[in-house]
């Protein structure tokens, strides 16, 4: 337990002021010491309390939730400082560790340093030194010692009430942290490419996985985040994700992978254009503007492979192309503005819209793969997912 009364006061001031420098000015302390206090507190609570918001710091959602207890702890710590029989300068610097306060409370409740040392599991001389150091910091006698044991002085009774309040508040704060830590440790973080419509293989797979996971592992949460293939690979390498569903074949060799599904791709466009095209893909993409996903997606890689096969380099340079990472926008471009696009069949077949399509050869099919780094923890999470989403041949 590395937190002390000055740390809790400093953290509360940072949260209240919304910045390290204004809090440092208010407490007449260096900004670096305020930053260190926030860092210690966040480590103890296993959660970030603040985040950057321009030149200021704003509370995270968890920081906002914990703020009332942090404020109560800081007020109690300040009251303990006021109890110390020292001048204002020393009061402002008084720092008593929560461990010392806990042991002081134990001694007060036991009525004997020897008995308290036995209960805590440390030597009596060590505990005696800690209590004496606390009394020296407070510049007050907190106990009256006698052959029968020890009794609290009036100042000791006040200190005990404040120490017990701090102990109670700290238990609430750390209980929440322990619960959050257990949840974080047990959560499977799954990254996924952005589903192309609610009927896409990706959307159906994720929905089935979510429903089954909740049934089978209610105590081990599943967190799913959707982004581009490039971001997912960085997340896997950096540990943001345990596993990821990717629609790209550009996966490093040291990563494990299993194919989950394959989607046939088609050239899509306004029905009247497709019906009069004679199935000439090259002419369609040269004469009409083309909507494609960004280079960060596996679908774009397949589209580029198609264009490379059907068109010369000069023709590819001449294409009129817009990059859009949104299926609704692509569909609107097709229907309303006579664009053509490359899409999985599941993304448009059920739509009641005047869309025509030219199916592409199997070699252009889009494979959705479960990918994970070569670690024991990631392999365990991947195995659990594959129980629900079996690999395909």
């Amino acid at each position: 337990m590395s937190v002390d009364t000055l740390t809790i006061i400093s953290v509360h001031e940072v949260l209240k002021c919304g910045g390290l420098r204004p809090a440092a000015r208010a407490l007449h302390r260096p900004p670096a010491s305020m930053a260190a206090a926030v860092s210690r507190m966040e480590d103890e609570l296993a959660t970030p309390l603040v985040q950057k918001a321009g030149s200021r710091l704003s509370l995270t959602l968890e920081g906002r939730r914990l703020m009332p207890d942090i404020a109560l702890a800081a007020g109690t710590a300040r009251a303990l400082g006021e109890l110390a029989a020292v001048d204002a300068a020393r009061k402002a610097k008084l720092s008593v560790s929560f461990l010392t306060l806990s042991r002081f409370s134990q001694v007060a409740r036991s009525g004997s340093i020897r008995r308290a040392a036995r209960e805590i599991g440390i030597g009596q001389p060590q505990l005696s030194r800690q209590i004496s150091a606390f009394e020296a910091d407070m510049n007050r006698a907190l106990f009256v010692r006698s052959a029968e044991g020890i009794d609290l002085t009036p100042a000791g009774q006040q200190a005990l009430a404040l120490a017990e309040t701090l102990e109670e508040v700290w238990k609430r704060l750390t209980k929440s942290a322990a619960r959050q830590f257990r949840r974080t440790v047990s959560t499977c973080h799954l990254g996924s490419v952005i589903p192309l419509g609610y009927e896409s293989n990706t959307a159906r797979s994720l929905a089935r996985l979510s429903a089954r996971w909740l049934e089978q592992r209610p105590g081990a949460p599943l967190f799913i985040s959707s982004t581009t293939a490039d971001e997912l690979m960085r997340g896997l390498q950096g540990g943001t994700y345990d596993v990821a569903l990717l629609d790209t074949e550009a996966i490093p060799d040291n990563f494990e992978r299993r194919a989950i599904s394959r989607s046939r791709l088609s050239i899509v466009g306004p029905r009247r254009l497709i019906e009069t095209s004679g199935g000439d893909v090259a002419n369609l993409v040269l004469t009409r503007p083309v909507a494609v996903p960004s280079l960060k997606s596996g679908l774009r890689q397949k589209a580029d492979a198609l264009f490379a096969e059907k068109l010369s380099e000069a023709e590819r340079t001449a294409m009129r192309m817009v990059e859009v990472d949104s299926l609704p926008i692509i569909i609107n471009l097709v229907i309303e503005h006579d664009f053509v696009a490359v899409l999985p069949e599941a993304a448009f077949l059920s739509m009641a819209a005047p869309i025509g399509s030219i199916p592409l050869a199997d070699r252009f099919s889009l494979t959705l793969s479960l990918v994970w780094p070569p670690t024991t923890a990631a392999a365990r999470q991947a195995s659990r997912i594959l129980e629900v989403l079996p690999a395909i041949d």
Side-chain angles (χ1 to χ4, degrees):
M1 189 187 302
S2 61
V3 173
D4 52 47
T5 54
L6 190 54
T7 293
I8 200 80
I9 291 170
S10 300
V11 169
H12 176 251
E13 198 68 30
V14 170
L15 301 186
K16 184 177 70 173
C17 295
L20 298 174
R21 292 189 180 280
R25 285 194 296 271
L27 296 180
H28 306 289
R29 301 188 65 206
S33 67
M34 309 303 285
V38 173
S39 180
R40 282 197 301 275
M41 188 78 164
E42 290 181 331
D43 285 346
E44 288 285 343
L45 299 184
T47 190
L49 298 172
V50 293
Q51 58 193 354
K52 281 277 190 181
S55 60
R56 290 177 56 82
L57 295 175
S58 65
L59 272 66
T60 62
L61 290 177
E62 191 67 2
R64 194 175 301 279
R65 188 181 71 80
L66 297 176
M67 182 59 166
D69 271 341
I70 292 173
L72 175 57
T76 307
R78 288 179 184 275
L80 186 67
E82 289 301 316
L83 180 63
V86 295
D87 59 34
R90 286 183 61 190
K91 286 181 190 291
K93 295 179 180 179
L94 181 66
S95 178
V96 183
S97 74
F98 282 16
L99 180 61
T100 294
L101 290 174
S102 175
R103 290 181 173 176
F104 162 72
S105 298
Q106 186 75 19
V107 170
R109 288 190 290 263
S110 298
S112 162
I113 291 181
R114 178 177 298 175
R115 189 180 306 121
R118 192 165 53 247
E119 292 168 352
I120 296 169
I122 62 174
Q124 180 181 341
Q126 179 184 352
L127 184 56
S128 292
R129 286 194 298 272
Q130 288 178 336
I131 297 301
S132 295
F134 179 34
E135 289 180 304
D137 286 338
M138 298 293 290
N139 198 29
R140 283 181 178 275
L142 302 176
F143 292 109
V144 176
R145 292 158 174 84
S146 66
E148 289 75 26
I150 57 175
D151 290 308
L152 287 166
T153 65
Q157 290 173 351
Q158 290 179 269
L160 177 62
L162 295 170
E164 288 181 334
T165 297
L166 272 173
E167 200 170 20
E168 181 183 340
V169 176
W170 188 245
K171 281 180 182 178
R172 283 203 301 269
L173 288 167
T174 52
K175 181 179 180 181
S176 174
R179 186 166 56 247
Q180 175 66 22
F181 179 75
R182 288 193 301 270
R183 183 178 178 85
T184 300
V185 169
S186 63
T187 296
C188 174
H189 292 83
L190 170 65
S192 170
V193 290
I194 302 168
L196 287 169
Y198 78 95
E199 290 189 334
S200 68
N201 283 337
T202 305
R204 288 200 302 267
S205 296
L206 291 174
R208 182 167 66 253
L209 174 63
S210 298
R212 298 272 181 84
W213 189 282
L214 186 61
E215 289 176 3
Q216 298 172 8
R217 295 182 175 83
L222 174 67
F223 175 77
I224 301 175
S225 177
S226 294
T227 185
T228 62
D230 271 4
E231 292 296 328
L232 291 171
M233 284 306 308
R234 280 196 286 271
L236 283 175
Q237 292 164 343
T240 302
Y241 305 114
D242 300 308
V243 288
L245 281 172
L246 292 169
D247 61 359
T248 178
E249 296 174 1
I251 299 170
D253 291 338
N254 62 315
F255 280 76
E256 300 291 332
R257 73 185 81 183
R258 294 291 186 277
I260 299 298
S261 66
R262 291 195 181 93
S263 301
R264 191 172 188 180
L265 300 184
S266 295
I267 287 284
V268 301
R271 187 173 297 152
R272 57 182 172 75
L273 290 179
I274 297 297
E275 289 175 349
T276 59
S277 69
D280 189 343
V281 171
N283 185 62
L284 268 175
V285 299
L286 282 175
T287 58
R288 304 308 313 163
V290 182
V292 293
S294 70
L295 290 166
K296 297 178 180 180
S297 71
L299 179 57
R300 172 62 178 277
Q301 294 167 18
K302 287 294 184 179
D304 283 353
L306 172 69
F307 302 149
E309 180 177 303
K310 299 291 185 181
L311 306 173
S312 68
E313 184 175 346
E315 288 173 327
R316 294 198 301 275
T317 302
M319 288 176 64
R320 292 175 294 158
M321 191 180 296
V322 62
E323 292 185 345
V324 182
D325 279 327
S326 167
L327 178 65
I329 296 176
I330 290 176
I331 295 297
N332 270 277
L333 286 170
V334 169
I335 297 172
E336 303 291 340
H337 302 279
D338 288 351
F339 274 65
V340 295
V342 179
L343 292 175
E345 289 182 343
F348 64 86
L349 279 182
S350 64
M351 289 184 177
I355 296 176
S357 64
I358 302 172
L360 300 177
D362 286 344
R363 64 181 176 278
F364 295 112
S365 292
L366 192 65
T367 300
L368 185 67
S369 299
L370 189 70
V371 180
W372 64 95
T375 66
T376 301
R380 183 169 58 251
Q381 299 289 26
S383 176
R384 291 168 177 170
I385 291 172
L386 288 170
E387 292 174 11
V388 179
L389 304 177
I392 60 174
D393 295 331

